[in-house]
Amino acid sequence: MSEKWDVRFVKLAMHIANWSKDPSTKVGCVVVGEDREIRSTGFNGFPRGIKDDEERLLDREQKYPLICHAEENAIMHAARIGVSLKGSTAYVTWPPCSRCARSLIQSGIKEIIYPTPGEIPERWIEDFNISNSMISEAGVIVRTIDL
């Protein structure tokens, strides 16, 4: 796909990220097939199907175990509607964590594209390195774009 389309899909992922209920975890994902058709989307937040509970939204300790990462939310949504993600490209707003990288690899994603990240916070550097290693070993292409 051209860089123009890459930018469009990353910006769409950024728009979707704003649907997150938690401002500290605004990450969005758009999974696109080879013909530029959107196969699935996801954002960080409660997995679809879990009833939002106002108390849990206020209590971060209880909320975090239920949070579904954007990439996993997109994969779960595709599975529910019977859409294959094999050979697709995942556009995300932030480099995937190791948990999401594993899920993307298992779903058959061929490429991951995200904006060139700024400085990675110290607490995420080790997981970022693990994620990059897993993605590289699986032969998934990673590209960053400047917005």
Side-chain angles (χ1 to χ4, degrees):
M1 243 178 278
S2 72
E3 189 169 329
K4 175 180 89 172
W5 282 99
D6 291 343
V7 169
R8 281 185 181 184
F9 287 126
V10 167
K11 285 188 175 180
L12 178 59
M14 290 174 155
H15 172 74
I16 290 168
N18 286 320
W19 299 345
S20 174
K21 293 172 178 65
D22 185 342
S24 70
T25 60
K26 285 194 179 294
V27 178
C29 176
V30 177
V31 182
V32 179
E34 294 171 352
D35 296 328
R36 292 197 292 250
E37 78 281 6
I38 295 174
R39 296 191 175 172
S40 189
T41 63
F43 60 94
N44 277 10
F46 287 96
R48 295 166 199 210
I50 290 182
K51 187 178 174 209
D52 288 351
D53 180 338
E54 200 63 35
E55 252 181 66
R56 281 192 221 149
L57 286 174
L58 297 171
D59 188 344
R60 294 170 72 89
E61 286 182 21
Q62 287 184 30
K63 181 184 171 193
Y64 278 118
L66 294 173
I67 278 190
C68 180
H69 293 206
E71 298 91 327
E72 291 182 329
N73 211 341
I75 291 165
M76 288 182 351
H77 180 246
R80 272 197 207 98
I81 61 175
V83 172
S84 170
L85 301 181
K86 189 169 185 177
S88 296
T89 299
Y91 292 90
V92 290
T93 57
W94 185 256
C97 67
S98 56
R99 181 175 120 182
C100 288
R102 184 178 303 110
S103 297
L104 290 169
I105 292 164
Q106 289 172 346
S107 69
I109 295 290
K110 71 167 186 174
E111 188 173 28
I112 301 168
I113 299 174
Y114 51 83
T116 305
E119 189 176 339
I120 306 288
E122 183 71 34
R123 67 183 184 277
W124 291 335
I125 289 177
E126 185 178 345
D127 188 71
F128 178 70
N129 291 336
I130 292 168
S131 174
N132 282 340
S133 176
M134 290 168 55
I135 291 168
S136 176
E137 286 175 22
V140 176
I141 299 163
V142 174
R143 286 193 297 122
T144 60
I145 60 172
D146 293 318
L147 296 180

